[in-house]
Amino acid sequence: QQQVKQSPQSLIVQKGGISIINCAYENTAFDYFPWYQQFPGKGPALLIAIRPDVSEKKEGRFTISFNKSAKQFSLHIMDSQPGDSATYFCAASIGISGGGADGLTFGKGTHLIIQP
Amino acid sequence: DTAVSQTPKYLVTQMGNDKSIKCEQNLGHDTMYWYKQDSKKFLKIMFSYNNKELIINETVPNRFSPKSPDKAHLNLHINSLELGDSAVYFCATTGSGNTIYFGEGSWLTVV
């Protein structure tokens, strides 16, 4: 049973455009929702995270939108740049930072390509 | 200094062999993990270790065993390697209320 569903699997966006990646979760006990960015040959790195008590969080060009009733959250990348080309993973966990015993439950990832 | 370092980065080995992947963290964190990333890039937790105690063990074959000689290290031992074990293995670590930090991964290929 996949507890975090991510879409789309791949995404191509023109430079300067908005990239949008969506995730849906099933376990209502989840209370921490991070997005990780992974470049080829590297480990995942935390990009931005949100807790369910807020509906939106913005850090620079990256914004998480969170809809608790729908059990959905999304990542928006504004003014997308070629350097943003990477694989993006949404995740969820029980525990403020994902540092609990269960760790992070990941979505299947989105391969994002930003065309110059 | 790399916060979470793994060795080796690449490992090619034959079926049936026993191998180990080492992980060291210099962040002083209490909890360490092993994650597996398969060929489709799906990341799944394998083990969680806190203060030398195994906290969680997902549906991972008992051929896999984590061993922590001290708080800064969590090594992954794999016995009787199978073709399906080919994957990227990531060590990760977190402290109280902190982010999970991942190492750069160890690419295991079983032939």
Side-chain angles (χ1 to χ4, degrees):
Chain A
Q1 179 188 12
Q2 185 188 352
Q3 295 194 61
V4 180
K5 294 183 179 180
Q6 183 173 345
S7 63
Q9 194 171 11
S10 60
L11 180 62
I12 299 174
V13 175
Q14 296 297 313
K15 179 182 175 182
I18 302 173
S19 304
I20 302 174
I21 305 171
N22 301 300
C23 282
Y25 63 97
E26 299 169 5
N27 188 347
T28 55
F30 287 143
D31 57 5
Y32 174 74
F33 302 89
W35 284 89
Y36 276 78
Q37 180 188 56
Q38 185 179 27
F39 293 105
K42 301 294 184 181
L46 179 67
L47 190 62
I48 187 172
I50 198 168
R51 296 177 62 189
D53 52 349
V54 297
S55 60
E56 186 176 282
K57 183 175 181 179
K58 183 176 181 180
E59 291 184 0
R61 296 184 295 110
F62 301 92
T63 300
I64 299 179
S65 297
F66 186 82
N67 186 329
K68 187 174 181 178
S69 61
K71 293 188 288 185
Q72 294 175 348
F73 58 111
S74 61
L75 175 69
H76 296 235
I77 305 174
M78 312 300 288
D79 187 26
S80 299
Q81 299 296 312
D84 297 330
S85 298
T87 300
Y88 292 81
F89 294 92
C90 62
S93 72
I94 301 168
I96 188 170
S97 65
D102 294 331
L104 292 164
T105 298
F106 282 92
K108 289 193 172 183
T110 296
H111 185 211
L112 174 64
I113 297 173
I114 308 300
Q115 290 187 332
Chain B
D1 282 345
T2 303
V4 183
S5 59
Q6 299 179 223
T7 55
K9 188 170 178 70
Y10 301 102
L11 179 58
V12 181
T13 187
Q14 291 187 328
M15 278 175 32
N17 284 352
D18 301 337
K19 290 294 179 185
S20 295
I21 303 172
K22 296 183 177 181
C23 177
E24 178 181 3
Q25 57 107 352
N26 62 10
L27 298 169
H29 287 169
D30 293 327
T31 304
M32 298 182 72
Y33 308 89
W34 278 104
Y35 282 80
K36 178 181 180 180
Q37 187 169 46
D38 62 23
S39 59
K40 295 184 178 180
K41 292 201 169 183
F42 184 50
L43 275 159
K44 186 174 181 180
I45 189 169
M46 299 178 71
F47 301 105
S48 167
Y49 231 82
N50 182 288
N51 289 328
K52 295 193 176 183
E53 292 186 29
L54 181 66
I55 296 177
I56 185 170
N57 186 336
E58 287 286 302
T59 53
V60 173
N62 57 15
R63 297 181 295 103
F64 292 78
S65 57
K67 286 185 172 59
S68 180
D70 55 59
K71 187 178 174 181
H73 297 83
L74 182 65
N75 303 324
L76 182 65
H77 297 273
I78 315 170
N79 296 326
S80 303
L81 277 156
E82 300 177 357
L83 292 176
D85 298 332
S86 296
V88 185
Y89 293 86
F90 287 99
C91 177
T93 180
T94 187
S96 175
N98 286 329
T99 302
I100 290 185
Y101 293 91
F102 285 82
E104 295 208 333
S106 294
W107 271 251
L108 173 65
T109 302
V110 182
V111 298

